[in-house]
């Protein structure tokens, strides 16, 4: 099967990869929606979504009530409503840009997910090979560069709606995203300063960051530190990255773009049906990608424990000669960490009240950015001293 894929024309391979991304990202929106309502119900002591069930499934013993209680049929109902609900186009909007904005919201999500490694397998020589649709050496730069384009969809949606409330929401969101991108970028610079020691080829590969945390990094003056997850080596950088990630994904308590109390409904006030659904899926996709990048940079990626790489675990389980099994195990470990982070995102949303706009901007410019600069200077000096 693998040989058949690699024998296909590169254009066909690209189309298959694009189809795989779409078939993964869009269901994630529905699954995260159900999980969000379940988490909020658990925090608030409510049953959560458990009413929707097809009449032809209601009489199936055990399985029917279980799926009903999990809220699976609510996901199906939401998907059907999003697809078949009347998609009205207000007469006062700029129609071309109004329709273009939600499409642009999905482009960064569908593009950046291809550069995020999600697992690894051990080849015949015992080398760990990362799994990614596009394992490029500038993976992190590609994620930051493309994901930053998402601000254009928000400001375009607010402007094209031709209404003051969506426009204010778009302006607020663009100011917030631009502010926190600085702290987000500066927080990861110490990680790659640590990895890219003098005398080695520079890299921004996310897979290389995982390789260092697995303890398999060779030929570096910093190799004695290999195997330690960066969340322990650089806890301040991890904290800055996480806070900035909340702001970059417009998640509570940084969801100024959707501040219902002071903006009626935010930048997507005039949107409904499938176009609103694209914004909805894009937000969860960005949260998924951000959680994946945090896992790769600070939580060891697909390595189960500090100083215990996936290759060591595979040898302990005597499955090193089964690359498919090792690959599935690494994917399961990576997804477990990502799911835990997504749960953390949802937990924070239903625990901490929304910040005011002035509080968000003050936190970004007066607190987080100076802290990120100080953290960068500290590790630049520390790395220079250690390497001597």
């Amino acid at each position: 099967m693998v040989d058949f894929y690699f024998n296909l024309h590169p254009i066909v391979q690209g189309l298959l990869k694009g189809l795989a991304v779409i078939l993964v990202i869009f269901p994630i929106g529905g699954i995260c929606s159900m999980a969000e309502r379940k988490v909020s119900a658990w925090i608030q002591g409510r049953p959560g979504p458990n009413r929707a069930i097809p009449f032809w499934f209601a009489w199936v013993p055990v399985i029917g009530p279980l799926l009903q209680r999990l809220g699976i049929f609510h996901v199906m109902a939401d998907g059907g409503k999003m697809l078949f609900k009347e998609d009205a186009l207000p007469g006062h909007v700029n129609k071309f840009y109004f329709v273009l904005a939600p499409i642009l919201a999905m482009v960064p999500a569908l593009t950046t997910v291809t550069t995020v490694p999600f697992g690894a397998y051990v080849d015949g020589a015992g080398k760990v090979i990362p799994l990614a649709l596009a394992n490029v050496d500038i993976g992190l730069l590609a994620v930051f560069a493309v994901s930053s384009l998402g601000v254009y969809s928000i400001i375009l949606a607010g402007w094209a709606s031709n209404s003051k409330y969506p426009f204010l929401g778009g302006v607020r969101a663009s100011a917030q995203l631009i502010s926190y991108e600085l702290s987000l970028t500066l927080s990861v610079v110490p990680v790659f300063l640590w990895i890219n020691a003098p005398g080695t080829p520079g890299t921004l590969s996310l897979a290389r960051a995982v390789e260092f945390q697995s303890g398999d990094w060779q030929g570096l003056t910093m190799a004695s530190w290999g195997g330690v997850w960066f969340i322990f080596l650089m806890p301040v950088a991890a904290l800055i990255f996480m806070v900035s990630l909340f702001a970059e994904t417009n998640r509570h308590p940084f969801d100024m773009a959707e501040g219902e109390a002071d903006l009626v409904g935010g930048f997507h006030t005039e949107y409904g049906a499938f176009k609103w659904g694209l914004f909805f899926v894009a937000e969860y996709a960005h949260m998924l990608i951000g959680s994946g990048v945090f896992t790769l940079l600070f939580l060891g990626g697909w390595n189960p424990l500090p100083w215990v790489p996936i290759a060591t675990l595979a040898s302990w389980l005597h499955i090193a000669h089964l690359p498919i099994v090792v690959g599935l195990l690494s994917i399961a470990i990576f997804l477990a960490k990502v799911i835990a982070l997504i749960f953390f995102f949802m937990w924070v949303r239903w625990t901490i009240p929304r910040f005011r706009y002035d509080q968000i901007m003050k936190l970004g410019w007066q607190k987080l950015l100076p802290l990120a600069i100080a953290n960068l200077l500290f590790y630049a000096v520390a790395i220079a001293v250690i390497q001597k």
Side-chain angles (χ1 to χ4, degrees):
M1 186 67 181
V2 176
D3 294 335
F4 172 76
Y5 170 78
F6 285 108
N7 290 330
L8 295 174
H9 192 276
I11 296 179
V12 178
Q13 293 183 14
L15 292 175
L16 291 176
K17 289 181 179 179
L19 180 62
V21 169
I22 292 173
L23 292 178
V24 169
I25 291 297
F26 275 87
I28 282 176
I31 295 173
C32 288
S33 171
M34 179 199 61
E36 182 114 53
R37 285 185 283 178
K38 282 292 185 181
V39 170
S40 66
W42 171 69
I43 291 175
Q44 298 174 354
R46 299 182 288 105
N50 62 355
R51 298 292 182 181
I53 185 170
F55 71 91
W56 46 266
F57 216 94
W59 303 104
V60 178
V62 182
I63 298 178
L66 176 62
L67 294 179
Q68 179 184 8
R69 185 173 182 178
L70 291 176
I72 301 297
F73 298 109
H74 280 265
V75 178
M76 299 168 59
D78 285 342
K81 181 183 71 173
M82 186 178 71
L83 289 174
F84 297 107
K85 185 179 180 181
E86 181 183 2
D87 196 359
L89 190 64
H92 61 277
V93 303
N94 187 311
K95 294 179 174 55
F96 175 75
Y97 294 109
F98 187 81
V99 175
L100 180 63
I103 299 175
L104 289 180
M106 285 301 305
V107 170
L110 296 176
T111 304
T112 53
V113 72
T114 62
T115 63
V116 177
F118 52 87
Y121 68 94
V122 182
D123 62 7
K127 184 178 180 181
V128 178
I129 308 298
L131 296 171
L133 295 178
N135 187 22
V136 294
D137 198 47
I138 56 169
L140 183 65
L141 181 61
V143 170
F144 283 175
V146 177
S147 62
S148 64
L149 299 177
V151 67
Y152 290 103
S153 66
I154 295 177
I155 191 65
L156 190 62
W159 176 83
S161 296
N162 199 21
S163 174
K164 61 181 179 180
Y165 293 113
F167 181 70
L168 286 173
V171 170
R172 280 186 171 190
S174 61
Q176 173 181 304
L177 295 179
I178 293 171
S179 301
Y180 282 86
E181 278 179 0
L182 299 173
S183 302
L184 184 75
T185 305
L186 289 174
S187 67
V188 302
V189 173
V191 173
F192 288 94
L193 283 178
W194 194 283
I195 293 174
N196 296 308
T200 61
T203 180
L204 290 175
S205 172
L206 293 167
R208 292 294 182 89
V210 178
E211 185 179 349
F212 182 91
Q213 295 174 88
S214 68
D216 295 334
W217 194 264
Q218 301 296 329
L220 295 182
T221 56
M222 313 293 288
S224 59
W225 295 83
V228 184
W229 290 359
F230 279 113
I231 193 172
F232 302 116
L233 284 176
M234 303 177 180
V236 176
L239 176 63
I240 296 171
F241 188 92
M242 178 57 70
V243 175
S244 301
L245 191 60
F246 271 90
E248 287 293 299
T249 53
N250 279 321
R251 292 290 300 182
H252 213 87
F254 295 90
D255 58 342
M256 276 293 99
E258 305 170 7
E260 297 91 349
D262 38 349
L263 290 177
V264 179
F267 68 93
H268 47 48
T269 301
E270 303 289 345
Y271 284 89
F274 191 74
K275 290 194 288 292
W276 177 87
L278 290 178
F279 285 116
F280 168 81
V281 174
E283 178 180 316
Y284 281 122
H286 285 298
M287 183 172 65
L288 174 73
I289 296 167
S291 300
V293 172
F294 186 89
T295 298
L296 295 170
L297 291 178
F298 297 103
L299 296 181
W302 46 80
N303 297 307
L305 294 169
W307 293 289
V308 182
I310 186 66
T312 302
L313 180 62
S315 64
W316 289 350
L317 299 177
H318 304 289
I319 58 173
H321 61 288
L322 301 172
I324 295 179
V325 177
V326 176
L328 293 176
L329 178 61
S330 67
I331 294 173
I333 294 172
F334 175 76
L335 290 180
K337 297 178 182 179
V338 170
I339 291 172
L341 287 174
I342 291 176
F343 172 77
F344 178 70
F345 271 89
M346 297 176 179
W347 192 355
V348 169
R349 174 176 181 177
W350 298 99
T351 304
I352 301 178
R354 177 185 292 127
F355 295 156
R356 295 196 316 265
Y357 180 69
D358 63 305
Q359 292 174 327
I360 289 178
M361 300 307 290
K362 183 177 181 179
L363 175 64
W365 288 104
Q366 298 185 15
K367 302 291 174 42
L368 216 58
L369 183 59
L371 182 61
I373 295 173
N375 181 71
L376 173 59
L377 293 176
F378 171 79
Y379 279 101
V381 174
I383 292 170
V385 172
I386 294 175
Q387 289 176 343
K388 287 185 177 180

